[in-house]
Amino acid sequence: MTALPGLPPGHYERYREGVERLEAFVSRRAPLFPALALERDLLLGRLANFRHHHRHIDKSIVILLLGGTGTGKSTLVNALAGQTISETGFRRGLTDRYIVYHHVEANVSFLGGVTSGADHWVPHQRETLRAKIVIDAPDFDSVKDFNNAKALAMLEVADLVLCLVTSEKYRDRTLHEILRRTGRLKKFYFVYNKIDLDYSEKVEAQLARDLVASGFAEPEVFRISAAKALSAALSGSAADGAGDFERLVRLLHEELDEARVREIKAANLDRLFESIEEQVGRALPADPVAASEELAREFDLALETAGAAIGSKIARGIFAEGHRELADVHRSLQYHSFGGVFGLWLAFVDFVRSLVTGRAGVGSTDPLRLRAAVRRHAEEAPRSHVEREVLALEERLARSASRLGFSEAPVLEALAPARGDGAGTALAERLSAGVADRVGEAFREEFDRLVLKKTGRAAQFALGFVFNILPTGFFLFAAGNLFYRYFWRAQFLGTDYVVSSGVVLVLLCLVSQAMAERYWLRRRWVFLDRLEGEARKAVEEGLEHELARDVREYAELCREAAEEYAGIRAVAPHARGSVESAS
């Protein structure tokens, strides 16, 4: 397409790119924005209308006669044609056809989308109107809704509008609603008709004020009598008393030359695209990119809060109900981590305790046994708590999305696996299983470190040496003394010596155990805190797998949509100069 007068080269190529990108954005991204979803079909229709005008910018200019019932549109089109081509009469508001007045060689096929075979097509051979198509539309305030719709449909196609008013119909509310909605999208001229019957300067002044209020800074008004002009045309006499009719004719025949027509069409395209862009912008957050980033932050915070709440509840279930059992098993692991005399003593103590409590002694199956115990205690956390937290998470995410201008539906869809009958229970079971596996693995690492000595051997040797000093030292002293007396001096010390030595050894072991228990208690609490942290991490990872992934994907979609719209805004043309020059 060649560049239009006053427009930079490539202007409409940029429009084509902008329209295609905007159309794709509205089609694909509307579900993310509730306001945009409501206006999706309307916007796509307006973009199709833009394509229509863009495609036919080199075609004839479409001039629409717009007016209410009894404003004299048919009389005016007859006067412009110089013959009766449109019926006038008392059946006002009932006309359901377009009257299309066009040159015989004009291409009118592009009007096929809004016209039909039932409309009245009137060809002419007036050379000055070769590139103009004048259409008399049904009254916009028709008593038939169908006629009203036809008038508004043609308004979308028109390039220039002659809006007719009279002293009776100049303040019509429907008219000014139409003007406010479409006035900035089209080139309008206003025709104050029937001045021969009822002209008033006050009415004209009030009309000017109303038009300014409807968005027309400097409205151009023609004062005419279409009836006088038609009578003069039919009789071949001068159009006395027709007012500005001759000036209106000059405008249509002479002033609307090819350059002016193209300028008006270009300005209409500028206005229409800008209006579509503004409509899309109103349906989106004020700053979509910032809103999408805030949405992602709020989603992350909500997921973190929910994970911490659920993890804390499950962890409390484990360490409140199962604290004694977990602590006992960890104590057994600590007891079996020592060698020497002190280690034998601790193994004996643990054996006696297992007989009293009915718990099996520590062994290689302990990590599996602990995993089962942890899962049992984890599953004792109330299912209702998990369901409650998921519902609270759902409400918070949906509220954040709605407040920031995004749709709630994808959030609810992402959380669907955690809703419904039994879903909360199933989710709690899966989270508890994850906690059990994570805590069980921590116990296996502790078992490997303390019992199997796979890690931390130097530290364990040093610790064993410290706590074995007293009992092992005394044992070696007593045993050495016994053997020395028996083998070297042939003295038998008797059972009293053995018993007294045993008592002392036990006392020394108890002293070492008391000191070790103080150390172990601190270590045990550190380890249990670690387990609680592992439980919470397991819940957070479980939520990430169960819920957060889909929620974050939705937030990422919102961010991509926001950046896509920002890109459209960056490349969209804004030919303000052409708009102002055509206004």
Side-chain angles (χ1 to χ4, degrees), residues 140 172-183 214:
F140 63 75
D172 187 275
R173 184 174 64 182
T174 304
L175 169 65
H176 286 281
E177 287 177 356
I178 293 173
L179 294 179
R180 280 190 291 271
R181 188 168 66 247
T182 62
S214 295

Side-chain angles (χ1 to χ4, degrees), residues 267-289:
N268 287 345
L269 279 174
D270 290 338
R271 293 186 182 103
L272 179 56
F273 189 85
E274 185 179 351
S275 172
I276 293 172
E277 221 180 11
E278 288 178 358
Q279 186 179 358
V280 172
R282 287 194 300 271
L284 302 180
D287 186 344
V289 174

Side-chain angles (χ1 to χ4, degrees), residues 490-517:
Q491 294 179 355
F492 183 71
L493 298 180
T495 57
D496 292 341
Y497 177 78
V498 175
V499 171
S500 61
S501 297
V503 170
V504 173
L505 181 61
V506 169
L507 291 175
L508 291 176
C509 285
L510 289 174
V511 170
S512 294
Q513 183 180 350
M515 291 188 297
E517 285 286 358

